[in-house]
């Protein structure tokens, strides 16, 4: 009993001699996750300024932390032996001297994105908008304000003005597996089908609206169109034959758990789900069944214009000053064209993985980015 009391007394004396750090640890510690393709950015705040900060990094979650550097700023950029898509772990503390240390902040992690580079531009258009490809990788671009769909070969060489509808604003276009082309006549609320000779095969009104946007097609050949003004997704089981208005089999508002789409805009079909994005500032991305039943979603924190997917089911979101590539769970894989674009409105990806982007305001061309090895 006496020994136990002695041990307790010693522990009390030792603990009373340990000094608590007199410096408050950094606040609001945050790390970039896929924002940059060449660095990881760390940011924080301190109660007083300036303060020296020590930055420690580990290459695995349970790995040993090593001192990476020090700074008197409230940010630090790590570009030391960084590998794309590998997660790195960081902790920081205030360090004024050996006797003046704060506690470490809670460990956070970050990573750099895949790197894309501009490889070419093409086209001389008035108001380029939507982009799609046929079975031979020929390229189709809607020249929205002049009511034209232009056809280019896979190298970007102009072939022909395939579709010309004077007085019509053509936004969304979609090339079917048959190489027929579905066109959204935005200012007329109509969807039309053309063949490869530019001959009109079918046309019908889908909404009393002037703001039709992106078109998607599912694996059953049903066609979906964004009615941005009425906040609907309109579904048609078929457009290939003369049919009545009741062929609009489903009409649903994409609004559910994450928040209301005040401006639904982007649309893509991916792994049996319809992916919908809004140009609202929060950048909600939601997945729906073919009948409009909510499945799941995530928040991108950036406005979304058009959406595309690649052969690996990665998603691409046009978002004004950049295009954001994510996996199906919302992890950012790449930020494409940051610093190059002003108003990236539409995006699509060909079978080779090249990313085609239209900037509505900066230029009258299509820009093509390619992933670097």
């Amino acid at each position: 009993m006496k020994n136990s009391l002695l041990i307790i007394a010693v522990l009390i004396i030792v603990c009373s001699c340990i000094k608590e750090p007199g410096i408050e640890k950094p606040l609001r510690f945050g790390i970039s996750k896929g924002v940059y393709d060449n660095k990881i950015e760390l940011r924080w705040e301190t109660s007083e300024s300036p303060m020296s900060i020590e930055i420690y990094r580990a290459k695995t979650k349970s790995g040993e932390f090593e001192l990476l550097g020090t700074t008197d700023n409230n940010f630090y950029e790590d570009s030391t032996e960084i590998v794309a898509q590998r997660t790195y772990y960081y902790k920081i503390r205030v360090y004024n001297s050996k006797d003046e240390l704060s506690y470490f902040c809670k460990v956070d992690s970050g990573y750099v994105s895949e790197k894309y580079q501009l490889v070419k531009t093409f086209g001389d258009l008035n108001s380029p908008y939507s982009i799609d490809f046929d079975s031979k990788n020929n390229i189709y671009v809607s020249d929205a304000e002049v009511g034209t769909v232009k056809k280019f070969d896979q190298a970007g060489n102009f072939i022909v003005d395939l579709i010309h509808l004077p007085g019509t604003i053509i936004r969304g276009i979609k090339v079917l597996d048959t190489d027929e082309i579905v066109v959204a006549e935005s200012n007329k609320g109509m969807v039309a089908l053309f063949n490869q000779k530019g001959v009109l095969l079918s046309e019908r009104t889908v909404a009393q609206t002037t703001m039709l946007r992106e078109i998607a097609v599912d694996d059953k050949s049903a066609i979906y169109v964004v009615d941005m003004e009425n906040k609907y997704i309109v579904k048609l089981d078929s457009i290939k034959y003369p049919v009545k208005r009741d062929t609009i089999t489903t009409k649903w508002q994409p609004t559910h758990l994450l928040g209301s789409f005040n401006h639904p805009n982007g649309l893509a079909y991916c792994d049996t789900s319809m992916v919908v994005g809004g140009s609202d500032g929060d950048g909600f991305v939601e997945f729906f069944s073919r009948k409009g039943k909510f499945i799941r979603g995530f928040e991108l924190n950036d406005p979304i214009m058009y959406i595309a997917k690649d052969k690996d089911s990665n998603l691409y979101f046009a978002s004004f000053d950049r295009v954001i590539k994510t996996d199906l769970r919302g992890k950012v894989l790449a930020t494409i064209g940051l610093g190059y674009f002003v108003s990236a409105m539409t995006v699509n990806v060909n079978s080779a993985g090249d990313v085609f982007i239209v900037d509505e305001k900066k230029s009258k061309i299509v820009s093509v980015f390619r992933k670097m090895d």
Side-chain angles (χ1 to χ4, degrees):
M1 182 69 179
K2 289 183 179 179
N3 289 338
S4 298
L5 292 173
L6 180 61
I7 292 171
I8 293 171
V10 171
L11 289 174
I12 292 172
I13 293 170
V14 171
C15 291
S16 65
C17 293
I18 297 174
K19 289 185 177 181
E20 288 289 321
I23 305 173
E24 188 175 1
K25 65 184 178 182
L27 308 171
R28 298 179 180 84
F29 180 42
I31 300 177
S32 64
K33 295 172 174 57
V35 176
Y36 307 104
D37 61 18
N38 60 351
K39 65 182 180 182
I40 297 174
E41 185 180 75
L42 293 72
R43 287 192 172 273
W44 58 86
E45 295 178 8
T46 56
S47 58
E48 298 179 13
S49 183
M51 283 188 170
S52 294
I53 303 294
E54 285 186 332
I55 299 96
Y56 289 79
R57 185 182 77 177
K59 294 183 179 180
T60 63
K61 193 171 186 178
S62 58
E64 182 180 353
F65 280 88
E66 297 180 353
L67 179 62
L68 189 64
T70 61
T71 180
D72 292 334
N73 298 315
N74 63 347
F75 67 92
Y76 185 87
E77 295 178 350
D78 179 17
S79 57
T80 305
E81 299 178 356
I82 296 291
V83 178
Q85 291 300 303
R86 177 180 293 176
T87 301
Y88 297 86
Y89 300 85
Y90 299 85
K91 62 181 182 180
I92 63 172
R93 67 179 177 184
V94 176
Y95 176 89
N96 286 343
S97 69
K98 290 182 179 180
D99 297 324
E100 288 189 296
L101 299 169
S102 75
Y103 286 120
F104 281 105
C105 286
K106 184 179 179 180
V107 173
D108 197 0
S109 62
Y111 60 93
V112 297
S113 67
E114 301 164 347
K115 184 173 290 188
Y116 281 76
Q117 66 177 1
L118 179 68
V119 292
K120 66 180 176 182
T121 61
F122 69 90
D124 182 15
L125 302 104
N126 291 280
S127 52
Y129 209 81
S130 191
I131 311 160
D132 206 5
F133 315 95
D134 66 18
S135 59
K136 297 179 180 178
N137 266 334
N138 293 312
I139 307 159
Y140 300 77
V141 183
S142 64
D143 205 346
E145 302 296 332
V146 295
T148 301
V149 175
K150 295 182 181 293
K151 182 178 179 179
F152 301 82
D153 66 18
Q154 59 184 313
N157 300 307
F158 176 73
I159 298 176
V160 67
D161 284 333
L162 185 64
I163 300 169
H164 186 45
L165 303 174
T168 300
I169 298 174
I170 299 177
R171 296 291 185 190
I173 60 172
K174 189 67 180 178
V175 182
L176 305 180
D177 291 341
T178 59
D179 285 344
E180 295 167 322
I181 304 125
V182 183
V183 170
E185 301 176 18
S186 181
N187 60 321
K188 296 181 179 179
M190 303 182 75
V191 175
L193 180 70
F194 293 83
N195 65 16
Q196 277 292 318
K197 294 182 179 180
V199 175
L200 176 66
L201 303 178
S202 179
E203 185 179 48
R204 68 206 49 149
T205 300
V206 296
Q208 300 298 323
T209 180
T210 59
M211 296 182 71
L212 297 184
R213 288 297 185 263
E214 192 162 17
I215 301 172
V217 179
D218 68 17
D219 56 358
K220 305 293 185 183
S221 298
I223 295 168
Y224 302 76
V225 187
V226 176
D227 179 354
M228 185 176 178
E229 184 174 325
N230 293 319
K231 307 176 187 178
Y232 281 110
I233 306 299
V234 177
K235 176 184 175 183
L236 297 93
D237 276 342
S238 175
I239 193 176
K240 292 190 176 184
Y241 309 103
V243 286
K244 299 177 182 178
R245 290 178 64 88
D246 59 11
T247 55
I248 300 176
T249 56
T250 310
K251 192 175 183 179
W252 44 275
Q253 279 190 305
T255 173
H256 209 272
L257 299 181
L258 293 182
S260 176
F261 286 104
N262 291 322
H263 299 94
N265 204 327
L267 183 69
Y269 179 71
C270 187
D271 291 356
T272 72
S273 300
M274 297 306 304
V275 186
V276 182
S279 55
D280 312 272
D282 292 330
F284 292 124
V285 179
E286 297 191 2
F287 294 73
F288 296 86
S289 71
R290 295 182 182 93
K291 294 183 178 180
K293 181 180 179 181
F294 177 81
I295 301 172
R296 62 181 178 86
F298 58 84
E299 190 172 345
L300 200 61
N301 296 315
D302 285 284
I304 298 166
M305 305 311 291
Y306 270 34
I307 304 173
K309 75 175 185 70
D310 62 22
K311 61 183 180 181
D312 298 319
S313 295
N314 297 310
L315 299 172
Y316 299 74
F317 302 93
S319 185
F320 294 115
D321 64 343
R322 72 194 77 182
V323 166
I324 303 166
K325 176 183 177 182
T326 77
D327 65 12
L328 289 176
R329 291 292 171 181
K331 179 183 178 181
V332 176
L333 304 178
T335 300
I336 304 170
L338 183 63
Y340 176 80
F341 293 113
V342 176
S343 185
M345 301 293 287
T346 61
V347 59
N348 212 337
V349 185
N350 68 7
S351 59
D354 291 339
V355 183
F356 291 67
I357 305 166
V358 165
D359 186 324
E360 189 180 40
K361 294 182 179 178
K362 181 179 180 181
S363 62
K364 306 300 182 184
I365 57 176
V366 178
S367 301
V368 184
F369 284 75
R370 183 170 297 158
K371 183 179 175 181
M372 299 175 64
D373 296 329

